[in-house]
Amino acid sequence: MAVIAGIEFHKVKQPLKQPFITVLQKVEQREVTVVIVRDLEGREGYGECVAFDTPWYTEETVTGSRFVMEQVLAPLLIDEQLEHPAEAARLFSTVKGNHMAKAAIEMAVWDLFAKRQGVPLYEFVGGISGSIPAGVVVAGKSDDLSENVSVAIGSGYRRIKLKISPDSDAALLKKLVTSNPEISFYADANGSFSGRALKELLAFDQVGFALIEQPYGEQQWDAHRIARSNMATPICLDESIHSLEDVKRMVKKQAVDIIVLKMGRLGGWTETLKVVDFCKNEQIEMWVGGMIEFGVSKAHNLALASLPEVKLTGDFSDSNHFWRTDIVSPEIRVENGEIKLSASPGIGYELKV
Ligand code: OSB
Ligand code: MG
């Protein structure tokens, strides 16, 4: 039993080392809100709100989510006695949407509970100790693509996600993929094939991608089903999945082989663990997606990826990949293509904000 005695919010803002360019947005700097919850004994739990400056990935924004967290969600939680962190999600259930805002506070509560028990968060959620395979996203123009892929391979990454769109050069991508047979390449289209003929997507079926992520729009279940039934490459969904209900619908529509878990998009640990359970029973494969985030969110993601049900390699890059200095200590390091889970209680990293 824990009483949530205090909740604090901190703004973190940093330029990216290099712009992250996708069809949706060019991200050059990143602002997030770090959440600290405190119990009566003064222990702290940490969360990170991964909403972007503008609503290009989901509807939420940095400013809007900060308002919802401070003015709407925090008052629902403050001074409450919780038996289990999932009760935070229940307290928030009267508030519509705002999944990233909810997830950030709920994450902090899960971290706090793990610390109260003196166990690492990965253990608290049922994960397995050891190392998490690293994965990186190469986003950008085709001219520097093969150079950026070589750099990633040189840094030890064995899974590389490439951003694609109908304008990508399938022949060039195929050359890149076939000349690096030891690397698992994912493709992420971020919905850019929306409104295009199936033929345009089929051109990428021969590339050799381990999966194609979100070719069509969030709501385009039928387009995804048709793609799936016509392609050898597994179809994976990211933006489409906001809840367990979405996953159920998607399975019923036979629109998917694989899903990307993102706690911000799903509303936190509680909903995400339900999705994991459901996908395990339905034999849907899973991996953990990145949000150009700092170390607090990444540490939660590492705990999620430690679950035995989460089998595919996620977006797990080194603290150094996006940031000159991360907000956690020690920084998160990729060594020999893996990130070692911290054995310290909770998320296992100190906060430097
Ligand atoms: O579509 O997976 C996406 C980053 C921000 C928003 C959406 C996406 C991404 C990424 C992951 O591709 C980048 C990362 O943090 O490694
Ligand atoms: Mg994606």
Side-chain angles (χ1 to χ4, degrees):
M1 179 101 76
V3 174
I4 307 299
I7 308 179
E8 246 177 56
F9 301 95
H10 294 268
K11 168 176 159 173
V12 170
K13 189 172 181 175
Q14 279 189 34
L16 271 67
K17 283 166 93 175
Q18 54 204 23
F20 187 87
I21 301 166
T22 73
V23 281
L24 300 177
Q25 188 76 5
K26 179 176 181 182
V27 182
E28 298 187 273
Q29 54 172 20
R30 184 72 164 115
E31 179 178 339
V32 300
T33 304
V34 169
V35 181
I36 304 178
V37 296
R38 277 199 186 78
D39 63 12
L40 284 173
E41 296 79 24
R43 287 191 205 85
E44 293 180 343
Y46 307 133
E48 177 179 332
C49 183
V50 294
F52 288 99
D53 290 341
T54 59
W56 62 268
Y57 176 71
T58 64
E59 296 92 331
E60 290 178 271
T61 59
V62 170
T63 312
S65 60
R66 178 73 176 253
F67 162 75
V68 172
M69 287 189 286
E70 268 183 333
Q71 306 295 322
V72 184
L73 301 173
L76 293 173
L77 192 61
I78 202 83
D79 296 334
E80 288 290 331
Q81 259 186 26
L82 308 182
E83 303 268 4
H84 189 273
E87 287 174 22
R90 191 177 45 74
L91 288 168
F92 294 162
S93 64
T94 54
V95 178
K96 301 251 164 96
N98 291 286
H99 287 183
M100 291 174 174
K102 288 174 178 172
I105 301 182
E106 201 225 29
M107 275 178 189
V109 175
W110 280 78
D111 180 31
L112 178 70
F113 268 75
K115 283 171 177 161
R116 287 173 62 89
Q117 286 197 6
V119 299
L121 182 61
Y122 76 77
E123 199 178 306
F124 187 78
V125 296
I128 296 169
S129 83
S131 289
I132 303 300
V136 73
V137 183
V138 172
K141 300 266 158 53
S142 54
D143 1 335
D144 14 76
L145 199 62
S146 61
E147 168 63 17
N148 291 345
V149 164
S150 303
V151 170
I153 295 171
S155 307
Y157 294 102
R158 291 291 169 269
R159 189 233 69 170
I160 297 175
K161 184 167 104 176
L162 303 175
K163 293 288 188 179
I164 65 161
S165 76
D167 296 333
S168 301
D169 183 340
L172 183 119
L173 292 172
K174 186 170 182 173
K175 247 172 73 186
L176 197 63
V177 169
T178 46
S179 59
N180 294 288
E182 74 288 9
I183 303 298
S184 172
F185 284 95
Y186 297 1
D188 188 0
N190 287 111
S192 58
F193 287 83
S194 201
R196 303 296 189 111
L198 176 63
K199 203 174 77 191
E200 291 191 60
L201 182 61
L202 290 180
F204 295 87
D205 201 20
Q206 312 305 319
V207 172
F209 289 124
L211 57 87
I212 295 185
E213 184 184 340
Q214 200 73 40
Y216 301 109
E218 282 190 33
Q219 303 291 329
Q220 295 182 299
W221 313 104
D222 288 331
H224 284 120
R225 176 180 51 76
I226 292 164
R228 182 171 177 250
S229 62
N230 282 283
M231 292 176 77
T233 314
I235 298 291
C236 170
L237 291 179
D238 174 6
E239 285 92 328
S240 291
I241 317 288
H242 297 269
S243 63
L244 175 60
E245 284 305 312
D246 284 340
V247 185
K248 286 183 178 167
R249 172 172 26 195
M250 183 193 78
V251 169
K252 208 164 149 198
K253 291 260 187 194
Q254 300 188 302
V256 84
D257 302 289
I258 299 168
I259 71 159
V260 186
L261 301 169
K262 286 190 183 175
M263 285 193 273
R265 177 165 40 59
L266 285 162
W269 271 107
T270 308
E271 187 77 4
T272 303
L273 291 175
K274 287 183 198 163
V275 168
V276 169
D277 209 45
F278 179 81
C279 287
K280 178 190 166 191
N281 292 330
E282 294 290 332
Q283 283 152 13
I284 303 282
E285 298 255 42
M286 294 166 265
W287 53 279
V288 179
M291 286 292 287
I292 318 178
E293 64 245 301
F294 292 93
V296 170
S297 175
K298 191 159 288 172
H300 280 273
N301 283 347
L302 287 166
L304 178 59
S306 80
L307 296 176
E309 297 88 346
V310 179
K311 298 209 173 79
L312 300 175
T313 303
D315 294 332
F316 287 108
S317 54
D318 193 282
S319 280
N320 257 331
H321 179 68
F322 293 123
W323 319 119
R324 277 178 223 295
T325 322
D326 203 341
I327 60 170
V328 293
S329 173
E331 296 214 345
I332 297 173
R333 288 278 98 90
V334 172
E335 273 156 15
N336 303 316
E338 300 196 326
I339 299 173
K340 218 167 170 287
L341 288 167
S342 169
S344 302
I347 63 168
Y349 295 87
E350 297 297 322
L351 186 60
K352 301 187 297 181
V353 296

